[in-house]
Amino acid sequence: MEERIRDDGFEVTFVVSTPREQAWTWLTEARPAVEGLAEMRDGQRWIPAVEAPGDELEVQHGSMLRVRKAVQPCKGTEIVIVLEDDETGTRITFVQTGFGEGFAAQRPWLDAGWHAIKHDLVVFFNRGVSLGRHVTGRWSSIGCDVTEADEGLVVESIRPGGFADQAGLQRGDLILRLAGAPVVSVRELSVLARALQPGAEAKVRFLRGTEARSGSGLL
C-alpha cells in the first residue's frame, strides 16, 4: 500500500490479485455493508469502504469512476477510483479531495476514519466483500477540544457539564489514559469514542504540570 500525502485530501494506491474486469464488476455492483445507511438514488453510485452514495460525475468503463459524495460527513467531496492492469492483478488508486478550508484542522479526526477506509478498500477489491469498519453509531464525547502535540493530547476549550468538566480537566492538561487505555493521538481517542457507549462512566488520567491526576465522569 502506497499512500501519498496531500494538502487537499487523501490518496492511496495498492495492488490486488483480482483481475481488472472482476474488480470493476465488484465496484459497479457495490452495495451498503450494513443496514441503516443512506439510500442510493438514480444517477448515483455506491462507494465501497466509504459506505455512502455518490453522484456520478464521470465513468470510463472498466478503468475509472468519479463521483461526488452525496451525504454527510464530508458531503460534496470528490472521489476518484482508478483501476489499471498490473502484472499480478489490478492496481487501484483511490483519491478523495475537496474537504474545504477547514481540512487542515479537521485532518487528525478525518484521518481516523481514513485509516479504516483504506484497509477496507483493500479487502473489497481483494475479496469483493464490503466491511464498513469505520461506520458506527453515536460517538461518545469527552466534552472538550484537544490538540495533538509532541507530548500527546493537550486539552483545549472545555464544554460546561461534559465529561472533561466533570472529571476536573483544565485547559493545558495532558491526557494520559482514558478508560484505562493509553491515549496519545486523535486516532486513538476516536477509536475509544466509538467503542465507549454515550452515557457510560469512564476514568481519565492526566498530567497537570508535573503532577499526575485522575478524574471520572459520564461520556
Side-chain angles (χ1 to χ4, degrees):
M1 183 183 294
E2 301 175 3
E3 190 165 2
R4 177 186 171 194
I5 305 301
R6 307 177 58 118
D7 293 333
D8 59 346
F10 300 100
E11 179 176 338
V12 66
T13 299
F14 53 91
V15 176
V16 295
S17 59
T18 308
R20 181 165 58 88
E21 294 78 7
Q22 180 62 71
W24 178 257
T25 297
W26 284 342
L27 176 60
T28 56
E29 296 179 353
R31 293 298 182 269
V34 296
E35 295 181 357
L37 299 177
E39 295 183 1
M40 187 169 58
R41 300 177 180 177
D42 291 341
Q44 294 183 333
R45 300 278 189 138
W46 192 260
I47 314 165
V50 173
E51 294 305 312
D55 296 318
E56 184 179 299
L57 299 178
E58 183 181 359
V59 178
Q60 295 179 14
H61 184 79
S63 61
M64 190 274 286
L65 174 65
R66 184 166 69 91
V67 300
R68 180 174 292 112
K69 193 177 180 193
V71 297
Q72 296 290 2
C74 306
K75 181 179 180 180
T77 54
E78 186 171 296
I79 294 172
V80 179
I81 306 174
V82 176
L83 283 63
E84 301 172 291
D85 289 324
D86 184 86
E87 292 181 0
T88 59
T90 306
R91 177 178 296 273
I92 313 288
T93 299
F94 180 99
V95 182
Q96 185 173 7
T97 57
F99 289 89
E101 295 182 358
F103 176 65
Q106 291 298 316
R107 184 172 197 130
W109 292 97
L110 293 171
D111 184 63
W114 169 245
H115 184 68
I117 288 171
K118 64 187 179 184
H119 290 286
D120 279 3
L121 284 168
V122 176
V123 173
F124 178 81
F125 285 107
N126 257 327
R127 311 184 189 205
V129 177
S130 294
L131 296 178
R133 282 182 281 192
H134 78 291
V135 178
T136 184
R138 292 177 58 196
W139 286 38
S140 297
S141 172
I142 64 169
C144 67
D145 295 326
V146 295
T147 298
E148 278 192 350
D150 290 342
E151 291 185 321
L153 290 180
V154 178
V155 176
E156 296 294 339
S157 57
I158 295 176
R159 292 181 280 283
F163 171 79
D165 190 20
Q166 298 172 46
L169 287 165
Q170 295 180 7
R171 183 183 180 89
D173 288 344
L174 180 67
I175 298 176
L176 305 177
R177 291 179 177 271
L178 179 63
V183 182
V184 297
S185 68
V186 167
R187 179 183 294 177
E188 292 170 342
L189 180 60
S190 73
V191 171
L192 287 172
R194 285 176 285 179
L196 297 170
Q197 292 297 312
E201 184 174 4
K203 295 182 179 180
V204 62
R205 185 76 169 166
F206 58 96
L207 193 65
R208 180 170 298 160
T210 59
E211 180 183 1
R213 298 189 179 190
S214 298
S216 62
L218 299 180
L219 296 165

